[in-house]
Amino acid sequence: MERITYFVDVLLPLPLPGYFTYRIPHDFSSEVKFGTRVVVPFGKSKLYSALVVRVHTDAPKQVNTKYILALIDEQPVVSEKQFELWQWLSHYYMCEIGEVMAIALPSALKIASETKIMLSPEFDGDISTFMPREISVVEALSYRSAVTVDEMAKIAGVQKIIPVIKSLVEKGAVITDEEIRDPYKPKVENYLSLTNNFTNEQAFYKLLDDLGKSKRNAKQVDLLLSFFMQLQERKEEDKPINFALSLPKKEILTRANVSPSRVETLITKGFLKEEQVKVSRLSSYDSYDETANIALSEEQQVAMRQILSQFEDKQTVLLHGVTGSGKTEIYIKLIDKVLSEGKQVLYLLPEIALTSQIVNRLRRYFGDRVGVYHSRFNEFERVEIWNKVLNPDDFSQESSKYQLILGARSALLLPYQNLGLIIVDEEHDASYKQYDPAPRYHARDSAIVLANMHNAKTLLGTATPSLESYYNAKQGKYGLVELTKRYAESMLPEIWLVDLVKATRQKKIEGHFSQFLIEHIEQALANKEQVIIFQNRRGFALRLFCNTCQTMPMCIHCDVSLTYHKRSSLLKCHYCGYAIEVPSECPTCHSKDIEMKGFGTEKVEDFLQERFPEARIARMDLDTTRSKTGYQKIIADFENQQTDILVGTQMVTKGLDFDRVSVVGILNADNLLSYPDFRSFERAFQTLAQVSGRAGRKQIPGKVIIQSYNTAHPALEYVVGNDYQAMYNHQMAERQQFKYPPCNRLIKLTLKHHKEEYVTAAGNELALLLQQAFPGRILGPEFPLVSRIQNQYLKDFWIKLDKNQQLDIEKAKLKALIEHFRSHSQYKSVRVVVNVDA
């Protein structure tokens, strides 16, 4: 009977449209299924791990369809709902689905490089059953350690070399290099256990007695006693000791203080046996508190009931609660309810810095059911977290499944099985939007879509809602619940504005601090209270300025000045990382009359250390938190009152909860207010209100001191009055007038090329096409504020679409227009970046 030939459509982690079809070898056609990875040849000399999307019998039109070379997984590494989200992200954010796969899968689950082949170490040299072409390949490899596919085709004189190599791989004569091996390696540790003759209590005690009769065996007895003590510690309540249990060898040796040779002796005598056990790289935690112990205030109870009530007919609810109103306690109660139903919960946070504090709180209640996922984990740890969300029994020593996942926006892309709730904390935060690389998705909006796919609910929480979310709530699309009072009757902080123009004229400025702020810092330190200082620029000085020729050292790759970092004594570019040593004279005119202008967190920290030598000062910005545990140490020290003053960038504004902060100083609010973006007013209000909310969160009254050269700015008035509604009304009037979100949809196009003239010509041509397709709705082309980044010149367009227009039709029109534009040979090298909901 003729065997059925199966084909497979696979997805590659590349920015290419659609899927690719390969033939499945008969010997493992039954093992290939959706969501598994297979190794496929692609192009002339590349192998990739590809994701199986569909298995079928529809023979493709092209002749000589390539075979898949190997099967990597026995079980799927992605879930169907997860893949459905990938498809939505690709469609909505106008990118290729391969680009979604590239950022979603941990790097340890992706394989790609030039394929090299070599003789298998297990090949016995028998070529009696080989075909002539196969013999040619084997002979060629006997003289070389490794050869690329292209090189082998030339050496062996065989044009279609892949089938020959595939056949030799199947016969065990040839292997390829790392590409067909999964780069992920499980962590293994050596474990010890008693042999079968001694796994009952009487036999074990007799063994100890027999060995104890000779002083020569004293170290062996010590080792067995250490083993026994650890068995006792692991004994379950009301149950006898399990003498058959395996224990970590390293731990036993450390506690017994004996050399490894003693273990070898006991193994040789047949008393112990040793085995390698796959263990998790992730830490284990026990819960030690009950959610029933959380006492909600009357207002929190009302909010909880309103959320549950609105969830009955709304998929999404916005929880608008002032800073310190106790939103986290409500989250914990909701999480407990969903977990008790056997469902998963995703808790999204905008910054990794936030996770270290909230994780500790949640692990008190949910222990090992809590998993954390963000970019600071190494590639192998990410795979283990991925597997614990997808496959609960991946580790023999630890079979708990993550039911509650905390993480930044990338946690959205994990393979969830049955989500019941997604919490998006600080939903207003700009960090939820990914700008590069594609997909340029917004985690908040994508979370709502993912929740709908699982028939789950989404709770958006913040003290300063985004205009988009509050607009949707006012329109009835989302439910709305409001908390207007702080928890435990603590008061909102007093907010003071300091006019820097007046303070400078009156000579009441010290460094970049007003005398008013200095006095309040002194008072806080005298009262053993803590201070947070916010400056939204890192580094020491923003630029090095020549007073003779009026120039500044610039990045050679980007159109920005270099920022001075005192600790490393370098001038650095914050866009591409380019750095140079600090010059002793002007590089342009060689004048010695150069000085530092502007200031960042590093300079603020230096000033405070000189001004308050007894104070313990820490800095939290990108430079001090690059390590995996950088955030945790800084936050833990501040939480435990081991730090008196914390200086930071926007990282200190986002949801952190400290008991003894009485003063928050904002050094230069004008940096936020003057940024040329239609969202700058909204974001300035949100940032200032959020950082103000770090003060006076418990019984200690808080003061917030905002320094500005323009104290009459409306955004500052709204912050002082804690008047979100007034800010919302003010901004919505402008957004409606000028047709910006949330009243309209916005798509941004960016042209990129390493030659300025190419970008300018392409921009002019694309402008004509866009104006014809979307008359009256185009802004641009314009150079952005930073017009060159990493040697790529940029030009921007914005397309404003009415809310009542069918977005899919408009996007299809835009996609066709871009393809038509790219079909012109002179513009093929110009990259077009599409950013939906920019």
Side-chain angles (χ1 to χ4, degrees):
M1 188 174 81
E2 186 178 349
R3 288 193 290 184
I4 300 173
T5 299
Y6 286 97
F7 298 88
V8 61
D9 293 339
V10 301
L11 177 63
L12 291 169
L14 300 171
L16 300 172
Y19 307 109
F20 297 87
T21 303
Y22 288 83
R23 190 171 176 175
I24 303 176
H26 291 296
D27 51 355
F28 56 83
S29 59
S30 61
E31 301 170 43
V32 179
K33 51 190 164 186
F34 168 82
T36 55
R37 291 171 302 148
V38 292
V39 177
V40 297
F42 189 76
K44 291 183 178 179
S45 58
K46 291 271 189 176
L47 289 185
Y48 282 93
S49 59
L51 190 73
V52 174
V53 174
R54 187 171 75 100
V55 179
H56 57 87
T57 56
D58 304 330
K61 293 179 181 178
Q62 73 264 28
V63 185
N64 297 328
T65 303
K66 294 179 181 178
Y67 282 89
I68 61 174
L69 300 180
L71 180 65
I72 299 174
D73 309 301
E74 294 180 4
Q75 298 299 325
V77 296
V78 302
S79 67
E80 292 187 10
K81 285 280 193 289
Q82 179 188 27
F83 189 72
E84 190 179 343
L85 178 68
W86 290 9
Q87 291 175 309
W88 180 84
L89 290 170
S90 168
H91 175 73
Y92 185 83
Y93 291 103
M94 299 183 69
C95 65
E96 304 302 342
I97 192 168
E99 294 177 291
V100 182
M101 176 186 174
I103 71 151
L105 279 182
S107 57
L109 293 181
K110 292 177 288 190
I111 312 165
S113 67
E114 185 180 22
T115 307
K116 289 185 178 180
I117 55 173
M118 61 202 80
L119 286 178
S120 170
E122 299 175 3
F123 178 51
D124 60 7
D126 183 7
I127 59 173
S128 58
T129 60
F130 287 10
M131 302 295 288
R133 289 181 175 180
E134 295 172 348
I135 294 171
S136 299
V137 170
V138 171
E139 287 178 346
L141 287 174
S142 64
Y143 298 103
R144 295 169 176 82
S145 57
V147 179
T148 67
V149 170
D150 276 353
E151 289 171 340
M152 181 53 69
K154 294 173 184 175
I155 293 167
V158 180
Q159 189 174 4
K160 296 178 181 177
I161 196 70
I162 289 288
V164 179
I165 294 170
K166 174 188 166 297
S167 174
L168 288 170
V169 168
E170 291 172 351
K171 292 176 179 178
V174 166
I175 59 170
T176 61
D177 60 357
E178 62 190 6
E179 290 80 18
I180 64 166
R181 295 197 304 272
D182 192 342
Y184 170 68
K185 301 298 180 190
K187 181 181 178 181
V188 294
E189 286 184 4
N190 290 335
Y191 271 61
L192 296 175
S193 59
L194 293 165
T195 53
N196 293 337
N197 294 334
F198 304 99
T199 53
N200 66 72
E201 192 172 359
Q202 292 76 17
F204 180 76
Y205 290 148
K206 186 176 185 305
L207 173 62
L208 285 177
D209 289 339
D210 292 343
L211 288 173
K213 291 173 182 176
S214 171
K215 290 183 179 180
R216 293 172 57 192
N217 299 330
K219 289 292 186 182
Q220 297 173 38
V221 171
D222 287 347
L223 194 146
L224 287 173
L225 285 173
S226 171
F227 187 88
F228 176 70
M229 288 172 65
Q230 290 183 59
L231 288 178
Q232 274 190 317
E233 290 171 8
R234 286 164 169 77
K235 183 176 84 70
E236 294 183 33
E237 194 174 347
D238 300 326
K239 288 188 178 180
I241 294 174
N242 181 6
F243 284 91
L245 201 63
S246 295
L247 299 175
K249 177 181 177 180
K250 185 177 180 181
E251 196 174 324
I252 294 167
L253 289 172
T254 302
R255 291 180 60 165
N257 194 25
V258 297
S259 67
S261 63
R262 304 297 179 183
V263 172
E264 299 306 319
T265 302
L266 289 172
I267 291 172
T268 304
K269 290 181 176 180
F271 302 149
L272 288 179
K273 60 183 178 182
E274 184 175 0
E275 61 179 335
Q276 285 195 325
V277 175
K278 185 166 70 166
V279 297
S280 176
R281 291 178 171 86
L282 309 172
S283 301
S284 180
Y285 300 88
D286 294 321
S287 56
Y288 54 88
D289 212 342
E290 296 289 333
T291 56
N293 295 337
I294 297 174
L296 298 182
S297 68
E298 185 178 340
E299 191 174 24
Q300 285 174 314
Q301 291 176 34
V302 171
M304 180 82 172
R305 288 195 294 271
Q306 288 177 344
I307 291 168
L308 293 174
S309 172
Q310 294 195 34
F311 272 157
E312 291 179 7
D313 59 355
K314 303 281 188 187
Q315 289 292 110
T316 304
V317 172
L318 172 64
L319 175 59
H320 177 200
V322 297
T323 56
S325 58
K327 294 185 288 293
T328 304
E329 284 74 18
I330 294 174
Y331 298 159
I332 292 171
K333 290 284 191 181
L334 287 169
I335 290 167
D336 188 47
K337 180 179 182 299
V338 173
L339 295 188
S340 67
E341 297 167 358
K343 295 184 178 179
Q344 293 172 305
V345 176
L346 169 59
Y347 192 133
L348 286 176
L349 293 156
E351 285 276 0
I352 300 169
L354 280 175
T355 61
S356 61
Q357 192 177 51
I358 193 65
V359 163
N360 293 334
R361 292 181 67 181
L362 292 178
R363 279 181 172 150
R364 284 173 50 192
Y365 300 102
F366 306 112
D368 268 353
R369 292 183 288 172
V370 179
V372 183
Y373 190 81
H374 55 63
S375 60
R376 293 298 167 90
F377 286 104
N378 68 44
E379 59 177 324
F380 291 160
E381 287 171 328
R382 287 198 226 178
V383 172
E384 291 195 7
I385 298 163
W386 183 283
N387 288 338
K388 287 195 72 174
V389 174
L390 181 66
N391 304 311
D393 300 316
D394 192 57
F395 302 101
S396 58
Q397 292 294 309
E398 170 182 3
S399 61
S400 61
K401 180 174 184 175
Y402 283 156
Q403 290 178 274
L404 169 58
I405 295 291
L406 276 85
R409 61 175 183 258
S410 60
L412 184 79
L413 304 172
L414 288 168
Y416 301 101
Q417 298 296 305
N418 65 333
L419 278 170
L421 174 68
I422 300 179
I423 295 169
V424 185
D425 200 13
E426 309 298 340
E427 65 82 27
H428 66 277
D429 201 285
S431 300
Y432 281 124
K433 174 70 173 176
Q434 172 151 314
Y435 290 96
D436 277 306
R440 294 168 180 83
Y441 68 103
H442 200 297
R444 177 197 62 218
D445 301 340
S446 304
I448 293 169
V449 172
L450 177 63
N452 288 341
M453 290 174 178
H454 284 263
N455 196 26
K457 305 296 181 182
T458 306
L459 181 65
L460 311 177
T462 179
T464 53
S466 64
L467 263 62
E468 285 84 353
S469 294
Y470 202 72
Y471 175 82
N472 284 330
K474 287 293 187 182
Q475 295 292 311
K477 186 177 179 181
Y478 301 164
L480 177 62
V481 176
E482 299 193 281
L483 280 166
T484 57
K485 296 179 182 176
R486 280 190 157 186
Y487 183 73
E489 298 183 352
S490 61
M491 300 297 293
L492 286 165
E494 293 180 70
I495 301 179
W496 297 80
L497 295 178
V498 175
D499 188 335
L500 289 175
V501 175
K502 187 183 295 184
T504 304
R505 192 185 306 127
Q506 295 173 349
K507 297 184 178 179
K508 293 183 177 180
I509 293 289
E510 192 174 341
H512 296 282
F513 288 72
S514 64
Q515 188 177 322
F516 186 76
L517 178 53
I518 291 282
E519 288 171 357
H520 279 83
I521 294 173
E522 287 175 339
Q523 185 179 344
L525 295 176
N527 295 337
K528 305 296 183 186
E529 295 163 356
Q530 293 173 297
V531 177
I532 290 177
I533 301 297
F534 170 64
Q535 165 62 8
N536 204 30
R537 292 284 190 277
R538 63 188 173 99
F540 189 88
L542 302 186
R543 61 192 69 86
L544 184 68
F545 186 76
C546 175
N547 291 315
T548 304
C549 68
Q550 317 294 302
T551 62
M552 300 171 287
M554 303 290 288
C555 176
I556 61 171
H557 308 298
C558 312
D559 282 340
V560 291
S561 59
L562 298 174
T563 301
Y564 173 52
H565 288 251
K566 186 178 179 181
R567 295 293 181 273
S568 58
S569 191
L570 292 172
L571 293 174
K572 293 183 180 179
C573 173
H574 289 173
Y575 283 86
C576 70
Y578 171 75
I580 61 171
E581 292 184 357
V582 180
S584 58
E585 59 181 31
C586 173
T588 305
C589 70
H590 304 292
S591 167
K592 300 287 186 181
D593 187 13
I594 55 177
E595 64 176 316
M596 299 292 179
K597 297 281 190 180
F599 66 102
T601 51
E602 204 175 354
K603 189 172 185 178
V604 172
E605 181 189 20
D606 263 22
F607 169 81
L608 289 169
Q609 284 174 338
E610 291 179 14
R611 184 63 178 75
F612 304 103
E614 302 300 319
R616 297 164 296 178
I617 300 168
R619 173 165 53 95
M620 187 162 75
D621 56 26
L622 187 63
D623 298 316
T624 62
T625 56
R626 292 185 187 277
S627 68
K628 181 178 172 181
T629 58
Y631 292 103
Q632 292 170 288
K633 184 174 185 340
I634 294 169
I635 291 171
D637 286 349
F638 197 69
E639 208 167 17
N640 297 326
Q641 280 94 55
Q642 293 173 3
T643 301
D644 301 312
I645 303 176
L646 179 62
V647 180
T649 55
Q650 81 285 349
M651 294 177 187
V652 302
T653 71
K654 301 179 180 182
L656 295 168
D657 187 12
F658 302 115
D659 292 352
R660 297 194 59 80
V661 175
S662 63
V663 174
V664 167
I666 298 166
L667 297 187
N668 191 354
D670 305 285
N671 284 341
L672 299 167
L673 299 169
S674 58
Y675 194 77
D677 184 275
F678 77 93
R679 288 194 175 94
S680 63
F681 190 110
E682 174 193 3
R683 286 180 176 163
F685 172 86
Q686 289 166 340
T687 301
L688 295 172
Q690 287 286 340
V691 73
S692 300
R694 300 317 107 207
R697 292 177 72 88
K698 293 295 185 290
Q699 300 307 315
I700 298 174
K703 287 188 176 68
V704 178
I705 297 161
I706 303 175
Q707 299 184 164
S708 172
Y709 289 96
N710 182 14
T711 54
H713 195 287
L716 296 180
E717 293 179 11
Y718 299 145
V719 171
V720 171
N722 190 36
D723 196 344
Y724 174 83
Q725 192 64 51
M727 187 280 295
Y728 174 79
N729 293 337
H730 175 278
Q731 280 300 285
M732 284 302 295
E734 282 193 4
R735 303 281 178 94
Q736 287 171 348
Q737 180 182 357
F738 296 107
K739 301 186 186 307
Y740 280 109
C743 308
N744 288 66
R745 299 184 186 277
L746 190 66
I747 298 177
K748 180 182 177 183
L749 301 183
T750 300
L751 303 184
K752 294 186 176 185
H753 197 274
H754 66 277
K755 291 184 179 178
E756 185 177 358
E757 60 270 24
Y758 274 52
V759 168
T760 300
N764 294 336
E765 177 65 25
L766 186 57
L768 296 174
L769 298 173
L770 288 170
Q771 289 291 359
Q772 290 172 2
F774 305 96
R777 289 178 282 163
I778 303 299
L779 289 178
E782 293 290 343
F783 284 114
L785 189 64
V786 180
S787 59
R788 181 174 62 107
I789 296 176
Q790 295 180 352
N791 283 328
Q792 296 284 309
Y793 288 91
L794 314 176
K795 275 234 169 164
D796 291 337
F797 291 88
W798 292 265
I799 306 171
K800 298 177 181 179
L801 301 175
D802 293 336
K803 280 274 189 176
N804 57 9
Q805 288 177 301
Q806 291 187 315
L807 190 60
D808 284 352
I809 294 175
E810 298 299 309
K811 283 181 182 175
K813 188 196 302 184
L814 177 60
K815 188 174 182 180
L817 184 151
I818 292 172
E819 288 174 357
H820 171 69
F821 167 75
R822 292 293 308 278
S823 67
H824 293 286
S825 58
Q826 65 267 42
Y827 302 130
K828 279 187 177 179
S829 61
V830 177
R831 188 177 167 211
V832 182
V833 174
V834 183
N835 191 344
V836 178
D837 297 339

